[in-house]
Amino acid sequence: GSGAIGTWLSGSSSNNLSNFVIATNGSSAYGVYTYEYEDAYDTYNSFFNKLSNFDIHTNGASATGAYLFYASSNNLTNFNISTNGSSANGIYLGLSTTTNNLSNFNISTIGSSANGVYLSTASSNKLANFNISTYGASANGVNLSSSSSNNLSNFVIATNGSTATGAYLTGSYKNNLSNFIIATNGPTA
């Protein structure tokens, strides 16, 4: 249903999660969701977690395969993610999301404004070995917004839709993108 979460890490650290198959059906749902934990004394990020071998399928608008928020120094590897719905991102790295390592991702999105990878105010993360396909207007392969000092390497991106850009950066600085292969199909893409 709407807002459903397959796996939720809240202020959690040093966990090992492997071999997960997750399917969500509903808007604003998440395959993997990390967020801060607050108590009367402090706020706690999620860090030093290891997630590997995940198959995630979401069906619904604004759903996200893997959503990292207030997360640092986590390691995610071997993910297959497919999303179906407008504004449904493959992965999203948001506020206070730093020094995470993500590698070996296959991502497919279907829907307008459904980005393969979306970084918003994220910094100093490393993403490597990504294969991304998007189908929909303004569905970018990689979208960096107000993000800095991230390192993205070895990306193969195919976008299909009007104004769907392979790699789109806005208000971002000191990021390093290398070894990208991009194919776009659509007007003004």
Side-chain angles (χ1 to χ4, degrees):
S2 177
I5 298 173
T7 302
W8 187 350
L9 286 77
S10 176
S12 299
S13 62
S14 302
N15 298 289
N16 291 314
L17 289 73
S18 63
N19 302 318
F20 278 57
V21 177
I22 298 170
T24 69
N25 188 19
S27 62
S28 302
Y30 303 91
V32 171
Y33 183 90
T34 72
Y35 201 73
E36 65 182 352
Y37 172 76
E38 296 183 16
D39 61 19
Y41 306 100
D42 208 343
T43 299
Y44 308 93
N45 288 10
S46 291
F47 57 92
F48 298 132
N49 297 291
K50 294 182 179 180
L51 286 71
S52 62
N53 302 322
F54 274 63
D55 280 308
I56 300 171
H57 310 279
T58 72
N59 183 37
S62 301
T64 304
Y67 181 96
L68 277 67
F69 205 75
Y70 287 93
S72 58
S73 301
N74 298 288
N75 190 330
L76 283 69
T77 186
N78 298 331
F79 273 58
N80 291 309
I81 297 173
S82 64
T83 70
N84 186 2
S86 61
S87 302
N89 299 303
I91 64 170
Y92 178 96
L93 278 64
L95 184 65
S96 294
T97 299
T98 63
T99 61
N100 297 285
N101 290 309
L102 287 74
S103 63
N104 302 329
F105 275 64
N106 290 306
I107 298 173
S108 175
T109 71
I110 300 173
S112 61
S113 302
N115 300 289
V117 171
Y118 189 12
L119 276 65
S120 178
T121 63
S123 63
S124 302
N125 298 286
K126 293 182 179 180
L127 288 73
N129 304 325
F130 275 62
N131 194 322
I132 299 170
S133 299
T134 70
Y135 301 86
S138 302
N140 301 311
V142 172
N143 190 341
L144 273 66
S145 175
S146 302
S147 294
S148 62
S149 303
N150 297 285
N151 190 324
L152 284 69
S153 63
N154 302 325
F155 275 59
V156 177
I157 299 170
T159 69
N160 298 272
S162 62
T163 65
T165 305
Y168 181 80
L169 284 70
T170 179
S172 296
Y173 57 95
K174 294 185 178 179
N175 297 286
N176 182 28
L177 282 68
S178 63
N179 299 326
F180 272 55
I181 298 173
I182 297 172
T184 63
N185 181 28
T188 65

